[in-house]
């Protein structure tokens, strides 16, 4: 699908739908946009009928309206201003979904119908993101068998954003919106693959493939290298699987060489069966999503590279399956992490923290400006925060401030969770330094976070993001996220976060 910014005077395209915004006042009266007389009459008539009220999430399609040289008309309710980037995303979602369900060939969005607000760069970027994020659909595993070819299936083919005088800022907003959406959609696409298609090896290949022709460099460690580098956690977790582990390092250098990098570490469990501490069968299929942290890291680095952001960034993804098998790690086994710390594995289902331990040690060895960890780490975070907020764990208030600002700019929701020394006390081992599960009750996400901290250099600016509640199935919250698919959460926030380290 083509998406472009155009002058309002550009000629209409065949079968084009005109999209106009209708807002309303406090008194619930509609603000009729200053536009073509026929359009105004249609809107007023629909309003008099009680069908059109200018409220948010309202979309009304007038087929064959034949207005302003266009075939069809779509009105998008906006409620009362001021309008944020998030209002733009929601409007973008309603625009795209309405055009798709009405099988529209092409559309032109008249930004001027929202007045000055419609020409705001943040709002425009929001619209672009809302459209492109809504367009995501995962069809890689669908066959063409028994399917009649439908030439109109991929409609709409073209959407243009029109303004009387396209500005440089608007052009830049369209570009940024496109890149951020593509990064998010790539993370979703990786996440939605079934685990038999997306193994640690094929994940590594997919990342390599994606990075071809870009300024992103990818390095893949195989099992022998992982062992040589003393990644005891990744070795232990992968022991039960017939699939070999991989450690994926992906870097983009947008700043001069001397500038310290920002490192993102993402959990890459291509399937988590729980291992010997096997999970119950209900919803176990969802554990193909246990690599969504890793996918978010890939999406982030790709987006930063496409944006040509002036930052050095490294992504690290420990990738493996967690399976029961004759050589699988057993409850009570002890592993030695890269920094020499020993861990009693009392529950093989608490595997994320084990693979992340080595990666965090390695991340700190790169002498970075900051380290961020992202993982579908604990079921407990879903209990605490549901599918709205991603839980953030950090003891560094300056880092949290940056994260909050970045998440606000990206329109993603984060919540600061507690992590204190008492949480670490619960993670002490009996015969080893640490245990991989808590000896206390509750606070499972916090004790997991305290465990991770044991592998981060003292004083290093650091935060851990638990996305177990937000990585998939979030449709009831976000109209621009797929109903039951990966959400690509945190890509947009991480891009902002990395950019804050310019
Ligand atoms: N991948 C899971 C966490 C998870 C659960 C993510 C549900 C998304 C939805 C993780 O590896 C896990 O199994 N964690 C255990 C830890 C426990 C054994 C201490 C959990 O949360 O139950
Ligand atoms: Zn697990
Ligand atoms: Zn897991």
């Amino acid at each position: 699908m083509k998406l472009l910014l155009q002058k309002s005077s550009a000629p209409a395209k065949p079968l084009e739908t005109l999209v106009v915004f209708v807002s309303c006042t406090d008194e619930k009266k509609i603000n009729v946009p200053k536009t073509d007389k026929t359009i105004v009459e249609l809107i007023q008539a629909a309003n008099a009928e009680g069908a059109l009220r200018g409220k948010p999430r309202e979309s009304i399609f007038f087929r064959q309206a034949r207005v302003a040289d266009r075939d069809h008309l779509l009105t998008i309710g906006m409620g009362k201003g001021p309008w944020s980037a998030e209002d733009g995303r929601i409007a973008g979602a309603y625009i795209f979904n309405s055009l798709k369900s009405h099988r529209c060939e092409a559309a032109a969005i008249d930004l001027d119908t929202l007045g000055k607000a419609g020409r705001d760069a943040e709002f425009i970027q929001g619209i672009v993101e809302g459209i492109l994020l809504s367009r995501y659909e995962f069809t890689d595993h669908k066959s063409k068998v028994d399917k009649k070819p439908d030439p109109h299936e991929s409609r709409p083919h073209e959407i243009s954003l029109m303004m009387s005088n396209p500005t440089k800022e608007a052009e830049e907003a369209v570009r940024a919106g496109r890149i951020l959406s593509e990064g998010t959609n790539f993370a979703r696409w990786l996440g939605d693959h079934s685990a038999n298609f997306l193994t640690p090896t094929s994940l590594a290949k997919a990342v390599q493939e994606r990075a071809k022709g870009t300024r992103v460099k990818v390095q893949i460690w195989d099992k022998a290298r992982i062992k040589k580098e003393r990644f005891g956690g990744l070795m232990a977790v992968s022991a039960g699987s017939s699939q070999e582990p991989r450690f994926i390092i992906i870097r983009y250098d947008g700043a001069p060489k001397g500038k310290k990098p920002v490192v993102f570490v993402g959990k890459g469990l291509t399937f988590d069966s729980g291992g010997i501490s096997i999970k119950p069968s209900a919803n176990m299929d969802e554990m193909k999503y246990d690599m969504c942290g890793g996918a978010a890291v890939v999406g982030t680095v790709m987006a930063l590279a496409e944006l040509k952001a002036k930052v050095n960034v490294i992504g690290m993804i420990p990738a493996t399956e967690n399976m029961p098998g004759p050589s699988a790690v057993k409850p009570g086994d002890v592993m030695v992490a890269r920094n020499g710390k020993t861990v009693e594995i009392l529950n093989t289902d608490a595997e994320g923290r084990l693979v992340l331990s080595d990666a965090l040690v390695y991340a700190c060895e790169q002498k970075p400006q900051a380290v961020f960890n992202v993982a579908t780490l604990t079921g407990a975070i879903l209990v605490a925060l549901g599918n709205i907020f991603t839980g953030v764990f950090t003891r560094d208030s300056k880092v949290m401030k940056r994260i909050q600002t970045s998440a606000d700019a990206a329109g993603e929701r984060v919540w600061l969770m507690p992590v204190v020394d008492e949480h670490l006390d619960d993670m002490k081992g009996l015969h080893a330094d640490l245990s991989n599960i808590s000896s206390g009750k509750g606070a499972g996400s916090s004790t997991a976070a305290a465990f991770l901290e044991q592998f981060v250099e003292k004083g290093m600016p650091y935060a851990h993001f638990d996305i177990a509640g937000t990585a998939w199935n979030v449709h009831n919250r976000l109209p621009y996220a797929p109903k039951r698919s990966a959400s690509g959460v945190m890509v947009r926030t991480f891009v902002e976060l990395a950019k804050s380290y310019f």
Side-chain angles (χ1 to χ4, degrees):
M1 188 187 78
K2 271 208 267 181
L3 195 142
L4 24 111
L5 186 67
Q6 276 190 345
K7 244 178 149 35
S8 312
S9 53
K13 307 200 175 68
L15 302 178
E16 196 166 53
T17 299
L18 181 69
V19 183
V20 301
F21 297 108
V22 184
S23 57
C24 67
T25 62
D26 268 339
E27 297 75 40
K28 309 266 172 329
K29 278 179 76 177
I30 57 164
N31 294 319
V32 181
K34 290 188 190 63
T35 176
D36 187 279
K37 189 165 152 273
T38 340
I39 301 177
V40 170
E41 283 168 9
L42 279 171
I43 289 174
Q44 279 167 340
N47 178 241
E49 219 182 277
L52 185 157
R53 294 184 289 174
K55 286 188 168 179
R57 302 180 188 231
E58 174 189 86
S59 64
I60 298 172
F61 189 68
F62 300 78
R63 183 167 288 286
Q64 293 302 340
R66 297 188 179 282
V67 286
D69 269 354
R70 266 82 184 187
D71 292 65
H72 317 299
L73 173 71
L74 175 65
T75 66
I76 296 294
M78 292 301 294
K80 196 179 158 281
W83 294 282
S84 63
E86 183 62 9
D87 295 315
R89 272 179 219 108
I90 293 170
Y94 278 81
I95 292 171
F96 179 81
N97 292 329
S98 180
L99 293 172
K100 186 181 159 118
S101 66
H102 290 104
R103 312 208 127 217
C104 299
E105 165 67 21
I109 304 170
D110 188 351
L111 294 168
D112 293 326
T113 53
L114 203 59
K116 200 165 158 265
R119 295 185 284 269
D120 175 74
E122 277 182 32
F123 179 77
I124 292 175
Q125 184 174 332
I127 296 251
V128 171
E129 289 175 14
I131 291 171
L132 296 178
L133 291 172
S134 301
R135 213 174 99 78
Y136 174 81
E137 198 182 348
F138 184 72
T139 55
D140 284 44
H141 298 331
K142 291 261 166 75
S143 81
K144 298 264 184 301
V145 177
D146 294 336
K147 209 170 165 220
K148 288 200 193 91
D150 176 356
H152 305 313
E153 193 183 64
S154 54
R155 281 183 174 185
H157 287 128
E158 185 170 331
I159 298 181
S160 39
L161 296 149
M162 294 193 312
M163 58 201 294
S164 41
N165 274 314
T167 57
K168 249 205 137 79
E169 290 75 35
E171 201 62 72
E172 192 43 44
V174 172
R175 189 178 89 94
R178 179 185 295 122
I179 293 171
L180 286 168
S181 308
E182 281 169 1
T184 306
N185 287 342
F186 186 67
R188 291 170 169 180
W189 180 80
L190 289 173
D192 284 331
H193 275 83
S194 293
N196 61 326
F197 282 82
L198 196 93
T199 61
T201 318
S202 69
L203 170 62
K205 279 209 187 103
V207 176
Q208 253 167 345
E209 207 51 44
R210 177 66 188 81
K212 264 190 196 153
T214 73
R215 282 179 56 192
V216 172
K217 291 190 207 88
V218 182
Q219 204 189 339
I220 314 282
W221 291 2
D222 63 4
K223 187 176 163 182
R225 179 78 190 266
I226 290 166
K227 190 166 175 205
K228 193 166 154 236
E229 298 283 352
R230 305 181 325 279
F231 275 35
L234 186 50
M235 286 305 288
V237 173
S238 65
S241 171
S242 58
Q243 294 292 336
E244 279 199 8
R246 289 289 181 266
F247 185 60
I248 305 167
I249 306 164
I250 149 172
R251 69 183 301 154
Y252 160 69
D253 293 312
K257 254 202 158 50
K259 183 104 173 154
K260 287 180 171 181
V262 176
V263 184
F264 291 96
V265 177
K267 171 174 172 182
L269 263 287
T270 58
F271 191 74
D272 177 13
S273 71
I276 298 295
S277 316
I278 199 158
K279 287 180 180 292
S281 38
N283 304 324
M284 202 209 268
D285 58 291
E286 293 187 339
M287 284 302 118
K288 71 172 186 179
Y289 289 122
D290 215 19
M291 35 57 70
C292 284
V297 169
V298 179
T300 301
V301 178
M302 291 315 307
L304 284 164
E306 311 253 304
L307 284 168
K308 301 196 176 74
K310 291 187 178 52
V311 62
N312 293 337
V313 59
I314 313 180
M316 297 182 184
I317 302 136
T320 178
E321 285 186 339
N322 183 22
M323 296 289 281
S327 350
V329 64
K330 306 167 291 296
D333 284 3
V334 171
M335 59 149 272
V336 187
R338 183 173 166 89
N339 63 352
K341 288 197 182 172
T342 58
V343 183
E344 249 165 9
I345 303 174
L346 297 186
N347 186 322
T348 66
D349 196 12
E351 84 300 336
R353 58 199 78 182
L354 305 181
V355 306
L356 292 165
S357 66
D358 303 313
L360 287 170
V361 171
Y362 187 66
C364 293
E365 288 170 15
Q366 312 309 307
K367 301 279 165 250
Q369 291 195 62
V371 175
F372 299 106
N373 184 77
V374 54
T376 46
L377 201 65
T378 63
I381 200 76
L382 181 65
V383 177
L385 298 179
N387 63 4
I388 313 176
F389 285 87
T390 290
V392 181
F393 300 80
T394 181
R395 301 203 201 196
D396 187 327
S397 57
K398 276 202 210 131
V399 167
M400 188 58 210
K401 222 171 154 191
R402 262 181 208 265
I403 293 171
Q404 192 63 61
T405 309
S406 306
D408 290 346
E412 294 189 304
R413 287 171 141 167
V414 294
W415 196 262
L416 177 64
M417 298 291 291
V419 53
V420 294
D421 290 347
E422 285 81 346
H423 291 128
L424 177 62
D425 292 342
D426 292 350
M427 299 302 287
K428 293 270 153 71
L430 176 63
H431 298 300
D433 302 340
L434 293 161
S435 151
N436 79 328
I437 55 168
S438 167
S439 56
K441 271 201 176 147
S445 307
S446 294
T447 50
F451 179 96
L452 291 180
E453 280 183 349
Q454 293 312 295
F455 301 92
V456 179
E457 206 180 286
K458 282 223 156 34
M460 177 67 67
Y462 161 77
H464 151 58
F465 294 69
D466 196 335
I467 57 167
T470 48
W472 71 95
N473 283 6
V474 295
H475 174 76
N476 55 342
R477 304 293 177 193
L478 302 171
Y480 47 84
K483 219 179 191 122
R484 293 183 56 210
S485 288
S487 64
V489 76
M490 288 301 118
V491 169
R492 292 180 286 132
T493 298
F494 283 179
V495 168
E496 295 298 329
L497 192 52
K499 276 169 44 187
S500 81
Y501 286 94
F502 263 9

